[in-house]
Structure formats: structure tokens, C-alpha cells
Amino acid sequence: MFDLEPERVTAWIKSNGYSKVAVQLPEGLKVRSSEISDTLRSAGAIPILIGRPCYGACDYYDGYGEFADALIHYGHSAIPSMGEDPNVLFVEARAEVGADALRNHLDGLPSKIGVLASVQYIGLIDAVTEILEESERTAFVSPGDSRIKYPGQVLGCNCSAAENIRDCVDAFLFLGEGDFHPLAAAFGTDIPLFVYNPVTGSMRSVENTRERILRKRFASITIASEAESFTVIVCSKKGQKRIAEAERISALLEKAGKKVYTVVLEEITPEALSHYRTDAFVNTACPRISMDESSRFVKPILTVTEAEIVAGIRKWEDYEFDSIRN
Ligand code: SF4
């Protein structure tokens, strides 16, 4: 169902004459590593599978040069602001589906709609725009900032493509699966958001999920407000490293009377944090860790914007999703 583009991969390897090629896959595509390795072998290259976890283009493996001449990173689009390496190829693994079943779900949609998608479904934006406009609705699609490759694309850490049109639309329609990407846009804009899943042909609102997550986040902020000490986490992955944000939030927490420490980590897990005995943590890396995985952690692990509430410079009612802008 996901297009791994074997012809483009083969042509890229052959035209550059690579003899060893490293392969990086997100967890969901690792089951296809044998098939991908066979494609590389047929193209004349020795495949080297990089087994470390991979969640986004933000953690593409720039140490591939120790093992190979080039890297193929599957499952994500490049992040333009991270710069280009000619020896790295991104294969986005676009879903091979259509959007016709959306016609069954138009009744609940308002007249002005912003269209958003995760990269796997970004190729459906034109078809969805056409379907919406056939129904006499107006569709809006905006480019994002320099972290975003395609108009309408949303990352879990960046919904600038939605923010840019929040004043023109009555609702957003997100094309994709799961909660994390659409929630980033729903929190980032405070506008109703519907998720159309092109694989199942189903439509849903994220409002209940949004409310449930907000309640959990407010509980974490309340507990962290009583904390005397914080560890601010900086991630060493190239596209999640926010040293200036870590310094800024550390200074704000210190000003609010908290003791603050800093730790640099590659993977942010409960085991990695168990060594640091502060009352709470601030995560400056991927916001998914705080929003989606907080139940795995024993102590509160706040996002930067949540820590601003604890530091007293942001009001509860101005709650915002944390965004990575560069
Ligand atoms: Fe995705 Fe998180 Fe990386 Fe952003 S920081 S690109 S949401 S993995």
C-alpha cells in the first residue's frame, strides 16, 4: 500500500555509482527491510540496515558515512531547513489510495475548509480540493514555514501550514491516520478539525481526543507547578536540537524560583530519565514524547509551552501545542 519507489531508488544508486547504501526505516516499515535490501542488491549496492529507532526526517542518520557511501531514508519527507546532503535520498512512502469515499462525508463540513495532510497522503490534496469545490465549498491550502516541504503538510511538531490560513477557514480537513499530526493542527489553531482516513474511507472529529489530552496535560502542569526542581532535556538529534529554547526556558524557571539542570539525550525514554532525580522534566525535543507518551513516564514531562505556564509567563487559557520552527 505504501510506494517504496524501487525504480527511483535503483536509478539513483546506479547514476551515482554507490557501492554501499545505508537504509533507515521508521518502525512501521522495518518489516519491509528484506524487500528494500533486495532492491538495493539488484541495483548493484550492498545494503546496510540502520536499526536504531527513527521517528522523522528530524533524526535522519547523518553518521551513515562510517558504514556506507549514501543513505536512503524511508517514510518521511526532507525537512528543508535542515539543508541538503546529495548523498541522502528521502523516499516518502506515499500511500497508494484515492479519496473518492470523501463524497460520503461532506454533509457535516462547513463552507470554507483548510486542507491538511501528513506526507503519506499529501498527493491527495488536489483530488480532495476538487471534491470540496464540486460541492460548492471553498478549499484553502497553504505552504508552511521552512520546516515544511509541501503546501498543506503538517508535522507533529509544526502546523504552520494550518496557522497561515486559520483566519480564512471554518474548519480543517486532515488527510491521514492516527491522532498526533491532526492534534498538532487542532491545538495549534483552535479551529474544528475533521480527520478523513483515506485507507478506511472514514471521517471523525478530533474534539473528544483533544479534550481528553488537554485534561491529562493540565493534570501534569498542575503537578509540575509544585515541583522545586526540573531537568530540561535537550535532544542531540539534528532536527530536534533546541539549545536556545532550553536556555530560555531554564532561565524562566530559575526566575520563578525553581532549581534547573540540563541533560542532553539521544533517546528520551523512562529508563534514560530514571537517573535524574528532579521533581519534573521539560522536553525541548519532539513534542510527541510529552503529548503521546506521557503515561510511560513516572514524573511530569512538560513541553516548552507548558513549562511557560509553570514559569508564570503564559496563562492556562493561552495553552498552545509546542512547535519546532527551524
Ligand atoms: Fe516528527 Fe517529532 Fe521529528 Fe517533528 S520532531 S519531525 S514530529 S519526529
Side-chain angles (χ1 to χ4, degrees), residues 72-187:
I72 306 180
H73 179 109
Y74 285 85
H76 306 110
S77 55
I79 294 179
S81 59
M82 288 177 67
E84 266 185 53
D85 177 340
N87 297 317
V88 176
L89 180 70
F90 286 87
V91 176
E92 295 162 356
R94 302 249 184 126
E96 298 173 298
V97 285
D100 288 349
L102 175 63
R103 291 192 170 84
N104 303 328
H105 303 287
L106 296 176
D107 284 352
L109 295 179
S111 57
K112 288 186 276 177
I113 300 173
V115 185
L116 307 169
S118 60
V119 72
Q120 267 72 45
Y121 301 94
I122 205 82
L124 292 178
I125 284 201
D126 286 350
V128 165
T129 298
E130 213 175 296
I131 291 170
L132 291 172
E133 294 194 336
E134 272 168 17
S135 72
E136 305 203 341
R137 291 174 171 85
T138 311
F140 295 79
V141 180
S142 165
D145 65 15
S146 62
R147 195 167 172 84
I148 297 295
K149 183 159 184 193
Y150 299 106
Q153 186 186 1
V154 170
L155 295 175
C157 58
N158 187 303
C159 61
S160 50
E163 288 166 347
N164 290 344
I165 49 174
R166 78 195 326 160
D167 295 335
C168 320
V169 303
D170 305 316
F172 285 107
L173 177 61
F174 176 86
L175 316 173
E177 302 165 271
D179 284 330
F180 184 57
H181 292 81
L183 279 173
F187 278 118

Side-chain angles (χ1 to χ4, degrees), residues 2-22:
F2 294 106
D3 182 8
L4 301 183
E5 302 186 64
E7 294 82 13
R8 185 165 73 101
V9 165
T10 299
W12 185 72
I13 290 171
K14 286 189 171 170
S15 66
N16 288 292
Y18 297 125
S19 59
K20 272 194 222 165
V21 175

